[in-house]
């Protein structure tokens, strides 16, 4: 199994021995989000190394992308089984599912948070990249590329622009 460690001034602390595929530290540094294509997502306390909660959704296993929003109140995840979702950090409960556009390849979806913390960007499952309101789950806007699948996306630091691209060399 993969292992996650927290390193500090006094050495290391084992956080997770779990099949992780990604890690993200919450903005305040007090929590760590770990996700796995084999087992969902878990939020860990970065001081004690204890699991605070595992996202409780049997449909939301095989998590391929996740992020903690900058405000620290929501987590966004994408998985091959049910697409993308927003989670409440205080309770660990599912807040809202983000409906995938028609023709979306769920196993390719990815997610990133805007710097303001109020929006998330999803991409990778088709032609489009979509901006969502993180509080309501409502679609704000979509960007459609000239390629069949968007592989990469990034949000500019101020959040005013989004860049996207494809491995296909088109566009």
């Amino acid at each position: 199994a993969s292992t996650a460690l927290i390193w500090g001034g006094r050495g290391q602390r084992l956080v997770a021995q779990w099949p992780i595929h990604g890690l993200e530290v919450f903005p305040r540094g007090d929590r760590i989000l770990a996700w796995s294509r084999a087992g969902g997502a878990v939020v860990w306390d970065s001081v004690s190394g204890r699991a605070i909660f595992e996202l409780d959704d049997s449909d939301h296993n095989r998590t391929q992308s996740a992020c903690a929003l900058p405000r620290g109140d929501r987590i966004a995840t994408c998985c091959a089984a049910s697409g993308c979702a927003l989670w409440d950090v205080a309770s660990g409960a599912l807040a809202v599912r983000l409906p995938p556009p028609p023709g979306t390849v769920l196993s390719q979806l990815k997610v990133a948070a805007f710097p303001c913390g109020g929006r998330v960007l999803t991409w990778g499952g088709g032609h489009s990249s979509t901006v969502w309101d993180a509080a309501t789950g409502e679609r704000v806007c979509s960007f459609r590329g000239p390629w069949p699948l968007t592989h990469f996306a990034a949000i500019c630091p101020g959040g005013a622009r989004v860049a996207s691209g494809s491995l296909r060399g088109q566009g």
Side-chain angles (χ1 to χ4, degrees):
S2 302
T3 302
L5 297 172
I6 298 174
W7 295 90
R10 295 190 175 125
Q12 69 182 22
R13 176 184 306 272
L14 179 67
V15 176
Q17 198 151 6
W18 193 61
I20 61 170
H21 287 91
L23 290 170
E24 183 169 322
V25 176
F26 275 66
R28 291 188 307 261
D30 59 337
R31 296 178 179 182
I32 296 172
L33 172 62
W35 63 92
S36 167
R37 292 184 184 122
V42 177
V43 175
W44 302 88
D45 182 290
S46 66
V47 176
S48 70
R50 293 191 181 132
I52 298 171
F53 61 83
E54 185 167 351
L55 300 181
D56 185 22
D57 183 3
S58 60
D59 288 339
H60 217 81
N61 57 13
R62 298 185 334 227
T63 302
Q64 66 233 14
S65 180
C67 66
L69 276 66
R71 295 180 192 164
D73 61 340
R74 291 277 168 120
I75 297 168
T77 60
C78 290
C79 85
S82 58
C84 297
L86 295 167
W87 304 83
D88 180 73
V89 170
S91 66
L94 176 66
V96 65
R97 286 201 192 281
L98 305 176
T104 297
V105 180
L106 295 180
S107 64
Q108 299 294 317
L109 282 171
K110 295 176 183 69
V111 64
F114 275 74
C116 66
R119 294 182 175 175
V120 295
L121 174 70
T122 60
W123 75 93
H127 294 276
S128 300
S129 300
T130 303
V131 177
W132 304 90
D133 182 285
T136 64
E138 292 181 23
R139 183 182 153 282
V140 175
C141 63
S142 291
F143 310 99
R144 184 177 171 89
W147 41 76
L149 186 64
T150 301
H151 290 96
F152 313 104
I155 302 164
C156 291
R161 291 187 177 84
V162 171
S164 63
S166 175
L167 291 173
R168 305 253 191 295
Q170 303 167 355

